[in-house]
């Protein structure tokens, strides 16, 4: 397929900026290892200009009417839908996941913008009861310029999440998406620019991540940090934000447990879990990782799951025949190898996969491990890849103890036909999101986020808008 890959640019203070004398980063197609384009990286002066523009942009946008903000978000949603084939193809080229997946991502981003175009009208305050002639008003105001860092695993939806709620709230944003997948983020920003977002409201920057985050988070212009990525990087950015006491929304790593009870509908459960484990080659923060299966169906589950994972058709995400694309960058297959070697050296059994798919690009075969000791790295660190670890359990209490063992608390899943068990498990699990007989965790109107070391705050839903607002109380005598 011939696709016109976008000319990669920065967007600062209403201007698209090319490479000029700036440093460049090679963007690689993970399915072939070939170069897609050259990305300009910001210099310090660019970031200073972005900060000044964001400061000015905020003063304009905070005063815009609800109609003006809603019009921009609605129009951008329409443009993303019109351009869906192009945007989805760019994302597949850059990140590797299948076209079916990137189309869903683009559609979800349009839905999110549309949801916030409506939700922004419900930024209500309160009037408190006071003696006649006096008032106390509780006001909600936009927090201010936001520094947002989006990772590569959802190249369209992550930038969309970082922009939708702040723009709805009346904030300006400096967005630094991942350097691995810049074209998709650029197209999301282009939709907003074409929809008429005023200059200075959205800046798009790329650079050396640590340089950019230190520069932006060191500035008192930035009032809010919004980060999605690993727990380790998240803690580092929280420390940088502490100096200026910024507000933070942190969507960090996960290690999702799945509890499959004896009474689960096995065929449907395996269908859903195969899809969830291989979606985006497992590079999803809510991907199921530790599968705890009750004794009575353990053997049948293992047989069926092994067969399904082994049968996944791996290939270039642009091909309709591919069910799973490559991993996003060469770091990921290397990490899979280390996790699997560590587990098997400690006595784990490898039932399928465990090796790269031999072809160009960064492909890894869906892998299933059993009998993995609890101290193996993969039982404790986020694998972020298509590797499943399955272990048996007997009682509900035992399953809950396994599920809650780690410091992570992002997503968790349970499969059962018993309403009572579903209720108990929903209450007992320490996670920001629990899926009972379902694996889809994201929707425009539903809060998305974790607890414990998986972060704090929410994206999406009314809660995502609240993250971008601060409270002011005005007392009138
Ligand atoms: P990484 O931790 O180096 O990077 C993760 C993301 O954070 C990337 O987008 C990167 O550009 C950004 N980042 C890294 N250092 C930064 C800094 N100092 N300032 C600002 N941004 C910074 O790891 P990686 O190899 O790119 O990805 C692998 C790991 O990242 C995975 O193991 C997974 O835990 C995590 N990850 C999580 C998510 C998520 O949705 N929660 C998404 C992508 C990656």
């Amino acid at each position: 397929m011939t696709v016109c890959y976008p000319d990669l640019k920065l967007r600062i203070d209403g201007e698209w900026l090319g490479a000029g004398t700036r440093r460049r980063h090679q963007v690689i197609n993970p399915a072939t290892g070939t170069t897609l384009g050259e990305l300009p990286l910001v210099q310090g002066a660019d970031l200073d200009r972005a900060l000044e523009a964001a400061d000015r942009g905020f003063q304009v946008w905070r005063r815009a009417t609800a109609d003006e903000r809603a019009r921009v978000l609605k129009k951008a949603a329409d443009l993303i839908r019109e351009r869906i084939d192009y945007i989805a193809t760019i994302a597949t080229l850059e990140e590797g996941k299948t076209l079916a997946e990137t189309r869903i991502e683009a559609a979800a981003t349009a839905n999110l913008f549309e949801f916030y175009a409506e939700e922004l009208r419900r930024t209500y305050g309160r009037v408190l009861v006071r003696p006649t002639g006096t008032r106390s008003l509780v006001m909600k105001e936009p927090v201010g310029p936001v520094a947002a860092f989006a990772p590569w695993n959802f190249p369209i939806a992550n930038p969309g999440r970082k922009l939708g709620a702040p723009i709805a709230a009346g904030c300006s944003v400096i967005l630094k998406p991942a350097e691995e997948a810049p074209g998709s983020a650029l197209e999301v920003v282009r939709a907003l620019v074409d929809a008429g977002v005023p200059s200075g409201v959205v800046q798009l920057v790329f650079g050396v991540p640590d340089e950019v985050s230190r520069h932006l988070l060191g500035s008192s212009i930035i009032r809010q940090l919004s980060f999605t990525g690993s727990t380790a990087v998240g803690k580092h950015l929280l420390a940088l934000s502490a100096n200026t006491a910024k507000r933070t929304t942190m969507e960090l790593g996960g290690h999702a447990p799945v509890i499959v009870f004896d009474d689960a509908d096995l065929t449907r459960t395996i269908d859903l879990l195969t899809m969830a484990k291989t979606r985006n080659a497992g590079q999803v923060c809510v991907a199921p990782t530790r599968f705890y299966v009750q004794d009575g169906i353990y053997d049948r589950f293992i047989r069926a799951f092994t067969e399904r994972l082994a049968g996944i058709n791996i290939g270039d995400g642009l091909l309709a025949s591919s069910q799973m694309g490559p991993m996003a960058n060469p770091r990921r297959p290397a990490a899979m190898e280390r996790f699997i070697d560590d587990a098997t050296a400690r006595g784990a059994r490898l039932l399928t996969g465990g090796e790269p798919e031999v072809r160009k690009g960064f492909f890894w075969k869906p892998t299933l491990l059993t009998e993995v000791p609890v101290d193996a790295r993969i039982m404790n660190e986020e694998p972020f890849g298509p590797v499943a670890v399955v272990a048996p359990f007997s009682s509900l209490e035992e399953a809950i103890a396994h599920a809650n063992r780690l410091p992570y608390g992002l997503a968790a899943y349970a499969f059962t036909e018993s309403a009572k068990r579903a209720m108990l498990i929903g209450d007992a699990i320490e996670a920001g999101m629990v899926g009972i007989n379902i694996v889809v965790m994201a929707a425009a109107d539903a809060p998305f986020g974790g607890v414990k070391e998986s972060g704090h705050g929410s994206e999406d839903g009314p809660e995502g808008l609240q993250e971008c607002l601060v409270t002011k109380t005005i007392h009138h005598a």
Side-chain angles (χ1 to χ4, degrees):
M1 187 192 293
T2 315
V3 184
C4 180
Y5 189 74
D7 191 13
L8 298 172
K9 290 198 153 80
L10 310 165
R11 171 97 189 169
I12 299 175
D13 200 8
E15 255 190 88
W16 292 107
L17 302 170
T21 57
R22 295 179 178 87
R23 289 166 296 174
R24 293 153 203 229
H25 171 84
Q26 301 282 314
V27 183
I28 305 293
N29 178 344
T32 59
T34 53
T35 299
L36 288 166
E38 284 203 328
L39 176 69
L41 301 182
V42 284
Q43 299 155 345
D46 292 323
L47 291 174
D48 288 335
R49 191 173 163 207
L51 284 164
E52 284 159 24
D55 200 16
R56 272 184 278 113
F58 174 53
Q59 298 312 326
V60 173
W61 199 233
R62 69 179 306 176
R63 291 183 177 83
T65 64
D67 278 343
E68 284 166 329
R69 288 184 216 158
R71 217 175 294 127
V72 166
L73 284 165
K74 273 213 164 85
K75 175 80 182 155
D78 290 342
L79 291 173
I80 290 171
R81 289 192 186 110
E82 273 169 29
R83 300 170 185 175
I84 192 164
D85 288 332
Y86 178 63
I87 299 175
T89 307
I90 299 300
T92 293
L93 280 170
E94 294 181 324
E95 203 267 354
K97 66 172 69 167
T98 64
L99 264 182
E101 291 180 62
T102 51
R103 284 181 63 86
I104 291 171
E105 239 190 270
T109 299
N111 289 347
L112 187 70
F113 282 5
E114 209 163 62
F115 171 79
Y116 277 128
E118 293 158 6
E119 189 62 24
L120 66 86
R121 295 177 193 281
R122 291 183 274 275
T123 319
Y124 304 127
R126 293 196 320 276
V127 182
L128 306 181
V129 179
R130 291 292 180 266
T132 304
T134 63
R135 304 266 184 285
S136 286
L137 306 176
V138 181
M139 312 283 290
K140 292 287 175 184
E141 299 183 342
V143 58
V146 177
F149 299 88
W152 42 261
N153 62 332
F154 284 84
I156 308 166
N158 284 334
R161 275 188 168 151
K162 297 291 172 218
L163 293 165
I167 289 177
C171 299
S172 57
V173 184
I174 303 180
L175 171 66
K176 193 205 81 62
E179 287 66 32
E180 280 100 336
S184 317
L186 188 147
E187 291 306 323
V188 175
V189 170
R190 197 195 306 280
L192 286 161
V193 170
D194 292 350
V197 76
S199 111
V201 176
V202 177
Q203 338 296 319
L204 176 68
V205 302
F206 297 96
V208 175
D210 195 47
E211 282 176 24
V212 178
S213 52
R214 279 179 196 278
H215 200 115
L216 297 182
L217 299 177
S219 165
S220 54
I221 289 175
I222 297 297
R223 299 294 172 82
Q224 163 107 349
L225 158 67
S226 175
F227 175 74
T228 301
S230 61
T231 296
V233 174
K235 287 178 180 174
H236 168 64
L237 299 188
L238 281 171
L240 291 179
S241 302
N243 281 332
T244 46
K246 295 189 197 310
R247 292 231 319 197
T248 54
T249 303
M250 308 300 286
E251 205 268 271
L252 307 179
H255 204 289
V258 185
I259 302 172
V260 184
F261 290 96
D262 281 345
D263 67 343
D265 174 341
L266 193 59
T267 308
R268 184 173 174 277
T269 302
I270 299 268
D271 275 352
L272 292 178
L273 291 177
T274 304
M275 188 276 284
K277 187 68 251 182
T278 55
R279 179 166 82 113
N280 195 19
Q283 303 163 114
V284 179
C285 53
V286 296
T289 293
R290 291 170 292 143
F291 296 71
Y292 298 107
V293 182
Q294 206 163 14
D295 300 329
I297 52 161
Y298 181 76
D299 290 338
R300 275 189 293 146
F301 181 94
I302 291 282
R303 268 197 306 278
F305 200 27
T306 306
E307 200 174 297
R308 290 294 301 276
L309 290 177
I312 289 289
N313 198 356
I314 304 170
D316 190 322
L318 292 179
L319 302 174
S321 56
S322 301
Q323 292 173 298
M324 188 179 101
M327 304 199 80
N329 56 56
R331 297 190 298 281
R332 299 318 307 151
M336 294 310 101
E337 190 163 8
R338 287 195 297 274
F339 275 121
I340 293 163
D341 285 353
D342 170 76
T344 50
R346 292 168 196 263
R349 281 185 65 206
L350 177 66
L351 298 193
T352 187
E355 57 186 5
E357 174 84 0
V358 185
R359 58 167 81 211
K360 278 194 229 146
F362 316 131
F363 293 88
W364 191 268
K365 290 182 181 170
T367 299
L368 196 149
L369 293 166
T370 57
E371 297 169 40
V372 184
V374 78
D375 61 351
R377 281 188 51 214
I378 197 160
M379 292 299 268
N380 299 283
E381 296 168 37
E382 184 177 31
F384 223 60
V387 183
V389 175
V390 190
F393 76 90
S394 303
S395 67
L396 177 81
E397 294 68 30
E398 190 191 345
I400 291 168
H402 284 311
N404 290 341
R405 181 178 60 85
L406 294 182
Y408 293 111
L410 191 58
Y413 305 89
F415 288 83
T416 177
E417 294 297 303
S418 153
K420 173 135 194 243
R421 272 176 174 167
M423 210 72 90
L424 290 172
I425 208 98
D427 287 350
I429 284 203
E430 296 169 356
M433 294 165 286
V434 181
I436 310 276
N437 298 328
I438 192 170
V439 290
V440 177
M441 288 292 177
D445 58 356
F448 186 100
V451 297
K452 296 161 77 178
E453 292 193 19
S454 290
H456 53 249
S458 303
E459 294 188 296
D460 304 350
E463 289 81 359
L465 187 61
Q466 290 300 321
E467 294 283 313
C468 306
L469 299 169
V470 284
T471 306
K472 180 189 276 176
T473 314
I474 305 177
H475 300 280
H476 288 256

